[in-house]
Amino acid sequence: MQYLWKASRFLIAFAVLLPLFGITTASAARQQPVHELNYFQSYATKVDGADAWRIEIGMNESDVKYEIRQKTLLKKEIVIDLADTVRGNLKQHIQQSSNIVKEIRIDETGERHTELHIALAPTFGEAAVKVTAIEADRRARKPFRLAFDIYQKPAEPEAPSVDGVKGHTVVIDPGHGGSDTGAVGPSGVTEASVTLAVAQDLQRILEASGARTAMTRDTDVDVYGPNATAGQELQARVDVGERTPGAEVFLSIHCNAFSNADANGMETYYCAGSSRGARLATILNEELDRAGGRRNRGVKTANFYVIRHSSMPASLVELAFVTNPAEEDLLADEEYQERLAYALAVGLSRYFTER
């Protein structure tokens, strides 16, 4: 009897201590609520003017977690993975009268786990899925629902193009990135995010025009890598240009900053002694002036590392002051970013064609 008492005390203590070590028992794991699927409806609708097919799935709990993935290999299918759910009284196979969705299959793939397999019409293109949570409507006797709107993914708009750059190679350097946000505006817009957005727009325009491009970075990363010195990071950007076959121009994109929030305008730089760099900076300045509508602070020389160490004609452009509230708003605007990118593309076109 004494042995049994000691053993029971040990088991109680063990159960109490388990959560402290991140271990849960089977009974504890079952504490998550089970979402019983108890409502289904589907019908045609519109999403931003496009034809869509809406699928509403209702359940007795509102905090359901889900993941969406598409399959296109054997057949076009959208799979919605619902955690902590059971199928309830819903049918396993539900036929659909739609030219978007042909059939829905609801499978219990494991304990407390359900998948919706939504078979798309064979001729349907790439699908987009919009998810909306709909609160319970007691008067209509409708539970909490997740609505999945399935529609044709809009085509990417064609990038504008410019003449005169076909066959040329341009190195684009979005300033800062990764551990270095660059300057930060009063509402939190970072220089690194603006320079990357403008650089990506510029890359699309140039490549749509037949040019070749190399980006020193195309995501929010350090070019050299973590824990680099300033010199290592800047040299890594220069190295991208030096390793790019046939590279003809190095263009570094930045936003300006100053302690006085009233400071404003754009400016372009080149390295003293580089006549081709001066010509490039001058043309870019003229095009930014036409397109940006900001105060023109002029064409200037500077000893910036990336333009001083590049073996090709190089220019560094300051698009505007991210520390100026009005200019910060402009720099964060996608249309304004595209306008600046197009101005830079036109400038590069002039650089290659005007001799």
Side-chain angles (χ1 to χ4, degrees), residues 121-354:
T123 57
F124 194 69
E126 187 176 359
V129 183
K130 179 182 178 181
V131 185
T132 306
I134 306 174
E135 294 299 325
D137 184 344
R138 293 184 179 179
R139 287 187 177 181
R141 297 183 179 180
K142 293 183 178 182
F144 170 84
R145 286 149 287 153
L146 287 178
F148 301 94
D149 293 330
I150 301 168
Y151 58 101
Q152 182 81 44
K153 185 176 181 180
E156 290 288 338
E158 290 187 10
S161 61
V162 295
D163 295 326
V165 299
K166 185 176 181 179
H168 292 282
T169 302
V170 178
V171 180
I172 308 171
D173 174 40
H176 307 279
S179 61
D180 176 16
T181 63
V184 181
S187 70
V189 175
T190 65
E191 180 180 5
S193 65
V194 173
T195 61
L196 180 59
V198 173
Q200 289 173 330
D201 288 339
L202 175 59
Q203 182 185 40
R204 282 193 290 270
I205 296 168
L206 292 176
E207 293 189 349
S209 306
R212 295 181 293 272
T213 63
M215 297 270 280
T216 60
R217 67 180 182 95
D218 52 18
T219 56
D220 186 22
V221 295
D222 298 281
V223 177
Y224 181 91
N227 305 315
T229 65
Q232 288 173 324
E233 174 66 13
L234 294 171
Q235 184 59 46
R237 294 168 186 267
V238 172
D239 289 343
V240 172
E242 301 304 307
R243 292 195 302 263
T244 301
E248 301 166 79
V249 166
F250 187 98
L251 174 56
S252 190
I253 301 174
H254 287 258
C255 302
N256 224 330
F258 194 62
S259 56
N260 184 347
D262 292 332
N264 64 91
M266 69 83 188
E267 55 199 4
T268 61
Y269 289 89
Y270 68 97
C271 187
S274 171
S275 59
R276 290 186 297 169
R279 180 171 163 269
L280 174 63
T282 300
I283 294 173
L284 293 174
N285 181 276
E286 291 171 356
E287 294 303 326
L288 287 172
D289 188 25
R290 290 191 183 100
R294 311 313 300 162
R295 172 192 171 198
N296 191 341
R297 300 169 65 93
V299 181
K300 304 176 181 180
T301 60
N303 206 28
F304 296 134
Y305 191 101
V306 292
I307 58 176
R308 176 163 54 93
H309 287 83
S310 292
S311 62
M312 66 199 76
S315 178
L316 185 147
V317 300
E318 299 277 9
L319 301 173
F321 280 75
V322 73
T323 48
N324 178 297
E327 295 195 340
E328 179 194 27
D329 288 344
L330 283 173
L331 290 168
D333 182 78
E334 290 184 5
E335 289 187 9
Y336 191 76
Q337 293 169 357
E338 291 170 359
R339 192 196 310 173
L340 295 176
Y342 188 76
L344 294 173
V346 172
L348 290 166
S349 171
R350 287 182 54 197
Y351 176 79
F352 289 128
T353 58
E354 296 178 3

